[in-house]
Amino acid sequence: MAVGARSGHDEPEDRSGRDESPAAGTPGGPGGDVGPPEGPEGGSGPADGGGAPRRKQRSFWVELPLLVGIALVLALLIKTFLVQAFSIPSDSMQNTLQRGDRVLVDKLTPWFGAEPERGEVVVFHDPGGWLDDTVTPEPNAVQKFLSFIGLMPSSEEKDLIKRVVAVGGDTVECKENGPVTVNGKSLDEKSFIFPGNTPCNDKPFGPIEVPEGRIFVMGDHRQNSLDSRYHQELPGQGTVSTDEVVGRAVVVAWPVGRWSTLPVPDTFDQPALNAAASMAPAALGVAGALPLVLWRRRRLTGGRTAG
């Protein structure tokens, strides 16, 4: 079909007499829909009585206190249930930890009933009498607030950090010029005790049977650590209740150049350490099963005799 041709009935080409006004039913025409009114600049605006007006965006300065409040609540929850930062105030854990290091302590695992294990570095509250002669500086208001929400270590609480050497049920001992032994098995401590130190020549001890629910702790800088060895006159022979343990130190977070994890040394993974500790429960199990075995044997023998 050629351009301009039409199908259907032909109509006269002269339309000069026809009404050129908009057709009915079209916007702006008679009976048509009314378009949106023009705004001050000629654009479209909301009709009177129409949809809800656009919500005004809050100012950043209005929302800032809310954001700060949420951040503080999250920081407090993290400090209470997840991790907390602690500062190392002494040299008792050299060279594993240096004075001024900041460590992150896992506080979540103990909530699920996990107990400290041999070889772990743990933070614990003063069990009583360990830090009586230690003077703690008085923090200012800002330090107290930051300590409360966990953004800096607390300077008021008397906490200690040591390595767990033995746990409940273990027998730990160290004679002069000898190694530390746990359940009769020697520990190879060369990878973590301070270079030049002896395992216990400054304070030999033991044998000590660690009560259930308690731990025996020592510093890695043996000749500069007032640990469980030096508090044997206290209840528990210098051991620490697991209830006093805040959590396990897992990471050196500050300074950045000393960032590292704090794994358990391989010497504490020796199967022989657990063998002696598990001997008593095994013996009790055998003793409990023996009467049952004898009773069953007697019953079978009696049945064969009667037959």
Side-chain angles (χ1 to χ4, degrees), residues 9-53:
H9 301 288
D10 292 334
E11 294 180 0
E13 294 292 331
D14 184 11
R15 299 185 180 183
S16 58
R18 294 186 63 175
D19 186 5
E20 297 294 333
S21 62
T26 60
D33 296 332
V34 179
E38 294 184 350
E41 300 298 328
S44 298
D48 294 337

Side-chain angles (χ1 to χ4, degrees), residues 66-84:
L66 178 62
L67 296 175
V68 172
I70 294 174
L72 292 179
V73 170
L74 290 176
L76 184 59
L77 290 175
I78 290 173
K79 171 211 169 181
T80 304
F81 299 106
L82 298 179
V83 294
Q84 184 177 355

